Coordinates of all heavy atoms in Angstrom, one line a residue:
D481 N 35.5 177.0 137.3 CA 35.2 178.2 136.6 C 33.8 178.3 136.2 O 33.1 179.4 136.2 CB 36.1 178.4 135.4 CG 37.6 178.6 135.8 OD1 37.8 178.9 137.0 OD2 38.5 178.4 135.0
Y482 N 33.2 177.2 135.8 CA 31.8 177.2 135.2 C 30.8 176.7 136.3 O 29.7 176.3 135.9 CB 31.8 176.4 134.0 CG 32.5 177.0 132.8 CD1 33.8 176.6 132.5 CD2 32.0 178.1 132.1 CE1 34.5 177.1 131.4 CE2 32.7 178.6 131.0 CZ 34.0 178.2 130.7 OH 34.7 178.7 129.7
E483 N 31.2 176.6 137.5 CA 30.4 176.1 138.6 C 29.7 174.8 138.3 O 28.6 174.5 138.7 CB 29.3 177.2 138.9 CG 29.8 178.5 139.3 CD 28.7 179.5 139.6 OE1 27.6 179.2 139.4 OE2 29.1 180.6 140.1
L484 N 30.5 173.9 137.7 CA 30.0 172.6 137.4 C 30.3 171.7 138.6 O 29.8 170.6 138.7 CB 30.6 172.0 136.2 CG 30.2 172.7 134.8 CD1 31.0 172.1 133.7 CD2 28.7 172.5 134.6
Q485 N 31.3 172.1 139.5 CA 31.7 171.4 140.6 C 30.9 171.9 141.8 O 31.0 173.0 142.2 CB 33.2 171.5 140.9 CG 33.8 170.4 141.6 CD 34.1 169.3 140.6 OE1 34.6 169.5 139.5 NE2 33.8 168.0 141.0
V486 N 30.1 171.0 142.4 CA 29.3 171.3 143.6 C 29.9 170.6 144.8 O 30.0 169.4 144.8 CB 27.8 171.0 143.4 CG1 27.0 171.3 144.7 CG2 27.3 171.6 142.2
A487 N 30.3 171.4 145.8 CA 30.9 170.8 147.0 C 30.3 171.2 148.3 O 30.9 171.1 149.3 CB 32.4 171.1 147.0
D488 N 29.0 171.6 148.2 CA 28.3 171.9 149.5 C 26.8 171.8 149.3 O 26.3 171.8 148.2 CB 28.7 173.3 150.0 CG 28.4 174.4 148.9 OD1 27.8 174.1 147.9 OD2 28.9 175.5 149.1
G489 N 26.1 171.6 150.4 CA 24.7 171.5 150.4 C 24.2 170.1 150.0 O 25.0 169.2 149.9
Y490 N 22.9 170.0 149.7 CA 22.2 168.8 149.4 C 21.5 168.9 148.0 O 20.9 170.0 147.8 CB 21.3 168.3 150.4 CG 22.0 167.8 151.7 CD1 22.3 168.8 152.7 CD2 22.3 166.5 151.9 CE1 23.0 168.4 153.9 CE2 22.9 166.1 153.1 CZ 23.3 167.0 154.1 OH 23.9 166.6 155.2
Q491 N 21.5 167.9 147.2 CA 20.8 167.9 145.9 C 20.2 166.6 145.7 O 20.8 165.5 146.0 CB 21.7 168.3 144.7 CG 22.1 169.8 144.7 CD 22.7 170.2 143.3 OE1 22.5 169.4 142.4 NE2 23.4 171.3 143.3
V492 N 18.9 166.6 145.2 CA 18.2 165.3 144.9 C 18.7 164.7 143.6 O 18.8 165.4 142.6 CB 16.7 165.5 144.8 CG1 16.0 164.2 144.4 CG2 16.2 166.0 146.2
G493 N 19.1 163.5 143.6 CA 19.5 162.7 142.4 C 20.8 163.1 141.8 O 21.1 162.7 140.7
R494 N 21.7 163.8 142.6 CA 23.0 164.1 142.1 C 24.1 163.6 143.1 O 24.0 163.9 144.3 CB 23.2 165.6 142.0 CG 24.5 166.0 141.3 CD 24.7 167.5 141.4 NE 25.8 168.0 140.6 CZ 27.1 167.9 141.0 NH1 27.4 167.4 142.2 NH2 28.1 168.3 140.2
V495 N 25.0 162.8 142.6 CA 26.1 162.2 143.5 C 27.4 162.5 142.8 O 27.6 162.3 141.6 CB 25.8 160.7 143.7 CG1 26.9 160.1 144.6 CG2 24.5 160.5 144.2
N496 N 28.4 162.8 143.6 CA 29.8 163.0 143.1 C 30.5 161.6 143.0 O 30.9 161.0 144.0 CB 30.6 163.9 144.0 CG 30.1 165.3 144.0 OD1 29.7 165.8 142.9 ND2 30.0 165.9 145.1
G497 N 30.6 161.1 141.7 CA 31.3 159.9 141.5 C 32.8 160.1 141.3 O 33.2 161.3 141.1
L498 N 33.6 159.1 141.3 CA 35.0 159.2 141.1 C 35.5 158.2 140.0 O 35.0 157.1 139.9 CB 35.8 158.9 142.4 CG 35.5 159.9 143.5 CD1 36.1 159.4 144.8 CD2 36.1 161.3 143.2
A499 N 36.4 158.6 139.2 CA 36.9 157.7 138.1 C 38.4 157.9 137.9 O 39.0 158.8 138.5 CB 36.2 158.1 136.8
V500 N 39.0 157.0 137.2 CA 40.5 157.0 136.9 C 40.7 157.3 135.5 O 40.0 156.7 134.6 CB 41.1 155.7 137.3 CG1 42.5 155.6 136.8 CG2 41.1 155.4 138.8

Side-chain angles (χ1 to χ4, degrees):
D481 293 341
Y482 293 99
E483 297 183 353
L484 294 174
Q485 207 79 45
V486 180
D488 55 11
Y490 291 85
Q491 288 194 17
V492 175
R494 187 189 189 281
V495 182
N496 293 320
L498 296 168
V500 171

